[in-house]
Amino acid sequence: MTNNSADNAAVTFRDMGLPEAILKTLINLGYETPSPIQAAMIPHIMQGRDVLGQAQTGTGKTAAFALPLLSGLDLNVKAGKPQVLVLAPTRELAIQVAEAFQKYAENLPHFHVLPIYGGQSYGPQLSALRRGVHVVVGTPGRVIDHLEKNSLDLSELKTLVLDEADEMLRMGFIDDVEQILKKTPAERQTTLFSATMPPAIKRIAKTYLRDPQEITVAAKTGTADNIRQRYWLVA
């Protein structure tokens, strides 16, 4: 693994080679300069490299993978089998990531993203998958359900994103994640994001990522030295 710490760099979104349609959207959204994780990750993801990112929520990691992956989509053909799959631990995060893709793709015509998660009826998800989507954002259990129903075809998948991998481990989804990984094309690009790197996540990275660029972003918040913290364990 190649290690790289995400430090502030005097780089712009334009410097990274993002297409004009996405740059226009970023200007409209008021995005001026990339966050450290965006500056560190976007070039590697655009080059098709596997990436292992250790970053907390709130560091801008969704844009760090969504922007370059949107740039690499083939939108010249009618939406069909998904080109990108994002796995997320909760339906709330799946919806949030799907909305982010939609927001950043505002000026990309005919782009389609679909969140799939448990607790929602299969009907709308099946209809959307039949019509065709470019990006699927889903929770592991519901993704496996669709794979078993043959309603989700990953044969043309270019990139798999594991978002908040340690949360998926904590919630007991890691076996499902591995099952999905095994059903994706061997030549796919894989990006893994995790706030912490427990042994099981390191094993996943070692097994399924190919010479990943490893990027660590320090948390923005810390504890002041003059604050005493205590905790009590309760039933």
Side-chain angles (χ1 to χ4, degrees), residues 121-201:
S121 65
Y122 282 93
Q125 297 177 6
L126 292 169
S127 298
L129 288 169
R130 278 195 293 268
R131 287 194 302 270
V133 295
H134 299 99
V135 177
V136 168
V137 186
T139 51
R142 183 53 66 99
V143 168
I144 285 180
D145 288 347
H146 279 286
L147 289 172
E148 291 177 346
K149 292 175 184 292
N150 294 317
S151 49
L152 177 60
D153 187 338
L154 300 181
S155 61
E156 294 183 11
L157 193 73
K158 295 179 180 178
T159 304
L160 173 66
V161 179
L162 305 179
D163 196 10
E164 298 197 2
D166 52 350
E167 277 299 296
M168 289 193 279
L169 171 67
R170 187 185 65 80
M171 296 172 71
F173 296 146
I174 208 66
D175 290 343
D176 291 345
V177 170
E178 284 206 74
Q179 188 177 336
I180 294 164
L181 276 159
K182 291 172 182 175
K183 293 181 182 294
T184 59
E187 65 276 10
R188 67 166 193 280
Q189 176 188 26
T190 309
T191 64
L192 187 157
F193 294 88
S194 193
T196 59
M197 288 291 167
I201 300 302

Side-chain angles (χ1 to χ4, degrees), residues 99-117:
E99 289 175 346
F101 268 96
Q102 192 68 60
K103 178 174 68 175
Y104 299 139
E106 179 185 354
N107 291 300
L108 297 178
H110 314 303
F111 169 75
H112 295 284
V113 58
L114 175 68
I116 59 175
Y117 48 86

Side-chain angles (χ1 to χ4, degrees), residues 19-71:
E20 285 298 325
I22 290 179
L23 290 172
K24 180 181 176 183
T25 300
L26 294 177
I27 290 170
N28 291 340
L29 291 171
Y31 285 36
E32 296 180 354
T33 56
S35 72
I37 195 170
Q38 292 161 8
M41 284 196 169
I42 288 174
H44 296 298
I45 295 177
M46 288 190 71
Q47 291 164 13
R49 287 200 62 176
D50 286 6
V51 171
L52 177 61
Q54 186 168 354
Q56 305 281 346
T57 298
T59 53
K61 63 180 170 61
T62 302
F65 63 79
L67 295 175
L69 293 180
L70 283 169
S71 303

Side-chain angles (χ1 to χ4, degrees), residues 24-25 45 58 66 73 90 149 172 190 202 210 213 219-220:
K24 180 181 176 183
T25 300
I45 295 177
L73 290 177
T90 65
K149 292 175 184 292
T190 309
K202 289 179 181 177
R210 294 169 298 181
Q213 180 73 30
K220 292 181 179 179

